[in-house]
Amino acid sequence: MSAEYAANVSVAQAGMDRTLLGAAGALVVLGLVMVASSSITMADRSLGNPLYFFWKQLAVLGVAVVLSIAAIRLGLGVWERWGGPLLILGMILLAIVLLPGVGREVNGSTRWIQLGPVNFQPSELMKLFFVVYMAGYLVRRSPEVRTTLWAFFKPVVLLALIAVLLLLEPDYGATVVLFATALLMLFLGGVPLLGFVAWALIIGAGMAALAVAAPYRMQRLTTFLNPWADPYDSGFQLTQALIAVGRGEWIGVGLGGSVQKLFYLPEAHTDFLFAVLGEELGVVGMALVIGLFAVVVWRAFRIAALAERAGHWFGAYLAYGLGLIIGLQAFINIGVNLGVLPTKGLALPLMSYGGNSLAVNCLCIALLLQVSREASEGQSTSRSRGLPRAEVSGEPM
């Protein structure tokens, strides 16, 4: 190994945010433990293999690590150039999943494409693709975004088209996360406050109307307000989650000791993993998980600030968006498990069972680490070094 190569490796490692990597790694490891614990009885009875879901999740993690390394090696410049094509690819995949005979229906939702033994969920990839696109858009259109409402309106139109495809699945949770992330990224990109507030109110009203218009969403809202009114039907899932959290008290009943996972709490290893964790590890365990997610979001925003100071504007907006997408999903999932938000079909990032969610969130962490490294090295990884010039606005949207 040459001295120059060793020096480059040392610089690259120094630029990686180890605190972020440590927090994300801790969440993944704890998630694997809880997937094994929450699914062991169900897997044994239905599949004859108590650790079936654990081994499958571990295998996906191995693939996710390989993909994450590849994503880092591409460099941010490649991601910036391919933001538009990736967004179009994501929309095509969302449309394909709706084709009769192609999309796979689970629990009344058609969100998956069957590829042999693998279930592929386009909506998870769309979250990442949209953040990458938005980061590039904010760089290309920075002067317009800061001065005109039209620049704010254009990505909202694209997002509305994506939302239509998501709602046809239906996937209201992913729609909410994407709209919230887009609005906050636009705000961080310098959208005038008055215009931001006006459009946020309009979009919020539209999302509320969609929630009220669908009977099953309205039922979820009313159930969330009083799940005990119908604890054996519409309120069953939420009441069982609350019972699990309540049984855990301060230090939990012990790892593996959950009663609610024994066919009482539906989706115990996916959407309601946090409730089982609360039962087995108590308030202490829940506080640890919330703290780790807080560290991930904090480091993402710190990396974004570092990229801004280095003039890496694409990296900065990308880091903001990735931090938001992870933080919002964690906030909503934990809120649902604790009964403070209506039920949504969102997994707990990096922890819940689900190969698509785990792989995409690992890619998000990898890209955050790459932003950190490139910003620390002071290398220009895009054509947007410094504030984008006004003439850049002539590029395609």
Side-chain angles (χ1 to χ4, degrees):
M1 180 185 294
S2 68
E4 182 181 357
Y5 177 77
N8 289 337
V9 171
S10 176
V11 169
Q13 290 177 340
M16 290 286 190
D17 193 312
R18 296 180 181 179
T19 302
L20 171 66
L21 184 59
L27 287 169
V28 170
V29 171
L30 186 54
L32 286 171
V33 172
M34 292 310 305
V35 165
S37 176
S38 60
S39 66
I40 189 167
T41 304
M42 179 186 68
D44 186 32
R45 180 171 295 185
S46 60
L47 300 167
N49 182 355
L51 294 178
Y52 173 83
F53 293 105
F54 168 79
W55 291 119
K56 193 171 180 181
Q57 187 83 337
L58 187 62
V60 171
L61 177 61
V63 174
V65 170
V66 173
L67 291 175
S68 297
I69 293 172
I72 288 176
R73 291 177 66 86
L74 285 176
L76 295 182
V78 174
W79 286 93
E80 182 177 6
R81 288 193 297 274
W82 282 88
L86 287 175
L87 184 73
I88 295 171
L89 173 63
M91 295 178 71
I92 292 172
L93 291 172
L94 287 178
I96 289 174
V97 81
L98 298 173
L99 295 176
V102 178
R104 180 170 178 262
E105 183 176 336
V106 178
N107 295 330
S109 297
T110 307
R111 303 177 186 174
W112 295 267
I113 299 174
Q114 187 82 40
L115 298 175
V118 178
N119 287 322
F120 173 62
Q121 188 175 359
S123 60
E124 289 293 337
L125 267 182
M126 177 52 80
K127 295 172 188 175
L128 174 60
F129 290 169
F130 187 79
V131 168
V132 172
Y133 169 79
M134 277 298 301
Y137 177 83
L138 289 171
V139 170
R140 295 191 302 273
R141 303 291 180 171
S142 181
E144 291 180 50
V145 167
R146 295 168 187 270
T147 56
T148 67
L149 286 179
W150 173 239
F152 178 92
F153 183 70
K154 284 188 285 188
V156 173
V157 172
L158 276 175
L159 188 54
L161 295 175
I162 295 169
V164 170
L165 295 172
L166 288 171
L167 291 172
L168 288 173
E169 294 183 357
D171 193 345
Y172 189 73
T175 306
V176 170
V177 168
L178 279 176
F179 266 108
T181 302
L183 285 173
L184 290 171
M185 286 184 72
L186 285 164
F187 179 71
L188 292 169
V191 168
L193 181 60
L194 182 60
F196 170 80
V197 171
W199 277 109
L201 289 174
I202 292 171
I203 293 171
M207 297 298 290
L210 286 172
V212 173
Y216 81 95
R217 294 193 195 110
M218 193 62 191
Q219 184 183 41
R220 284 185 176 184
L221 288 173
T222 55
T223 300
F224 150 71
L225 295 173
N226 185 14
W228 303 102
D230 192 5
Y232 299 109
D233 190 9
S234 61
F236 182 78
Q237 199 169 35
L238 183 52
T239 55
Q240 296 304 313
L242 293 175
I243 290 170
V245 172
R247 287 192 73 244
E249 297 185 348
W250 287 102
I251 59 174
V253 298
L255 187 63
S258 168
V259 172
Q260 296 307 111
K261 70 184 181 185
L262 304 177
F263 309 103
Y264 291 104
L265 180 61
E267 312 296 339
H269 60 305
T270 56
D271 296 352
F272 284 88
L273 182 89
F274 189 78
V276 177
L277 182 144
E279 184 179 5
E280 296 188 349
L281 303 182
V283 172
V284 173
M286 292 189 293
L288 173 63
V289 170
I290 293 171
L292 287 171
F293 275 115
V295 170
V296 169
V297 176
W298 164 54
R299 298 309 291 184
F301 275 64
R302 188 180 183 279
I303 289 169
L306 176 66
E308 281 187 354
R309 289 196 296 271
H312 295 268
W313 291 96
F314 174 75
Y317 294 134
L318 182 63
Y320 280 131
L322 296 174
L324 287 168
I325 209 84
I326 293 173
L328 285 169
Q329 289 181 97
F331 174 78
I332 292 173
N333 180 276
I334 292 172
V336 167
N337 277 253
L338 296 179
V340 297
L341 290 174
T343 304
K344 297 281 190 301
L346 287 174
L348 188 61
L350 302 171
M351 293 188 67
S352 289
Y353 174 78
N356 291 276
S357 174
L358 178 61
V360 169
N361 282 291
C362 284
L363 283 173
C364 291
I365 296 298
L367 289 175
L368 284 170
L369 293 173
Q370 180 65 5
V371 174
S372 172
R373 185 175 74 173
E374 293 193 10
S376 297
E377 291 173 351
Q379 296 174 346
S380 178
T381 59
S382 69
R383 297 189 300 273
S384 55
R385 191 165 182 79
L387 279 173
R389 300 184 300 273
E391 58 266 25
V392 175
S393 62
E395 297 180 9
M397 186 174 72

